[in-house]
Amino acid sequence: MNNRIVILDTETTGLSPRAGNRILEIGCVEVLNRQLSGNNLHFYINPERESEEGALAVHGLTTEFLSDKPVFAKIAPEFLDYVRGAQIIIHNAPFDVGFLDAELALLGLPPFKEHVDEVIDSLQMAKEIHPGRRNSLDALCDRYGISNAHRTLHGGLLDAALLAEVYLAMTRGQNSLTMDLAGGEDEGEGAGAMELAPLAQVIVVPAGDEDLALHEDVLNQLDKEVRGSCVWRFEPPPPEADAAAAAPAA
């Protein structure tokens, strides 16, 4: 597994590269062995066009501010060297990757995914972890207790830094199961055994009278639909009974 992760975010002049919109900011935050390394990368880029009104309201980067910044072709070598071979985490990855591919195509270079190990969409990951809930970066910051009070406008490096904290919080459970296979002979019996992190106390909340009544109403409705007793009214036999029924006759 690649231990080098780069959290990446872009800001653009609009919503679609097909409409001629361009990247005007890139922010990258490096994570090594689940720790922020501090080896980050950030560019303001002259997009060689004005931002659409809606995009400008999001990032606040004016044409005047960006006029003396390097164009994408100038920063491309350093940017590609930085991300090469890394696992890339992007929130709503198709959006950013689409713009990166368009910029690289203008330079005659291969698509973005051919320069990196893989691209993971943290928005899709969040939807799988929190189905049916809001999973914007701001919503995830609130959910995981990550302060974004200083975020009045979107910014490539700022958003990448917030996403890095969100990503580490979302994937923290992956480190709860560890396996020590490097133990020497002097560690005694049991070296190399799997170590499980202690489980949190399981809280069981029994159904109340109102819940039981609602459940009974549902079962009654199912009984009407099947014109009999629905399967949910039958208790499975104990394991011993299953084993006895499956055993061949003597």
Side-chain angles (χ1 to χ4, degrees):
M1 179 181 175
N2 193 336
N3 288 325
R4 183 171 185 259
I5 295 174
V6 171
I7 315 294
L8 186 151
D9 184 68
T10 67
E11 297 298 332
T12 64
T13 63
L15 295 177
S16 173
R18 294 182 180 179
N21 286 299
R22 305 286 299 276
I23 293 176
L24 50 75
E25 184 182 9
I26 298 177
C28 300
V29 171
E30 184 183 64
V31 176
L32 293 176
N33 299 315
R34 296 189 60 78
Q35 299 292 326
L36 301 178
S37 71
N39 176 30
N40 303 330
L41 189 70
H42 179 241
F43 297 108
Y44 288 120
I45 300 166
N46 182 350
E48 302 178 282
R49 59 156 290 166
E50 294 187 354
S51 291
E52 295 176 358
E53 185 176 347
L56 181 60
V58 170
H59 55 66
L61 300 174
T62 64
T63 302
E64 181 182 4
F65 172 78
L66 297 168
S67 61
D68 62 347
K69 303 302 185 286
V71 297
F72 186 88
K74 293 292 185 181
I75 64 94
E78 184 179 356
F79 169 65
L80 293 177
D81 282 344
Y82 180 87
V83 299
R84 185 167 287 113
Q87 184 182 74
I88 309 297
I89 311 296
I90 307 176
H91 208 62
N92 191 17
F95 178 88
D96 299 77
V97 171
F99 271 94
L100 289 167
D101 285 349
E103 295 286 357
L104 294 171
L106 290 174
L107 302 179
L109 295 173
F112 180 70
K113 289 185 178 180
E114 294 189 23
H115 300 272
V116 301
D117 180 42
E118 66 174 326
V119 175
I120 295 176
D121 186 356
S122 55
L123 175 59
Q124 184 59 40
M125 178 187 299
K127 288 180 178 179
E128 293 172 0
I129 297 173
H130 308 290
R133 302 182 68 180
R134 292 179 59 250
N135 289 297
S136 66
L137 184 55
D138 284 335
L140 290 170
C141 285
D142 290 342
R143 193 166 302 148
Y144 288 104
I146 296 167
S147 174
N148 61 348
H150 52 298
R151 185 183 187 239
T152 55
L153 291 171
H154 287 250
L157 189 59
L158 172 60
D159 286 2
L162 289 172
L163 180 57
E165 293 190 60
V166 166
Y167 174 77
L168 291 172
M170 282 200 302
T171 59
R172 189 170 293 137
Q174 295 178 5
N175 281 2
S176 63
L177 182 65
T178 61
M179 183 178 291
D180 180 10
L181 299 177
E185 293 180 1
D186 59 342
E187 290 185 354
E189 197 171 295
M194 183 178 291
E195 299 176 354
L196 295 176
L199 295 175
Q201 182 181 3
V202 177
I203 300 175
V204 178
V205 180
D209 292 340
E210 183 178 354
D211 295 322
L212 293 173
L214 291 171
H215 180 64
E216 186 65 24
D217 289 342
V218 172
L219 293 181
N220 290 336
Q221 183 61 36
L222 291 173
D223 288 344
K224 291 180 181 178
E225 292 180 5
V226 300
R227 298 181 181 179
S229 295
C230 65
V231 295
W232 303 109
R233 292 196 182 277
F234 295 95
E235 292 187 10
E240 296 81 2
D242 280 344

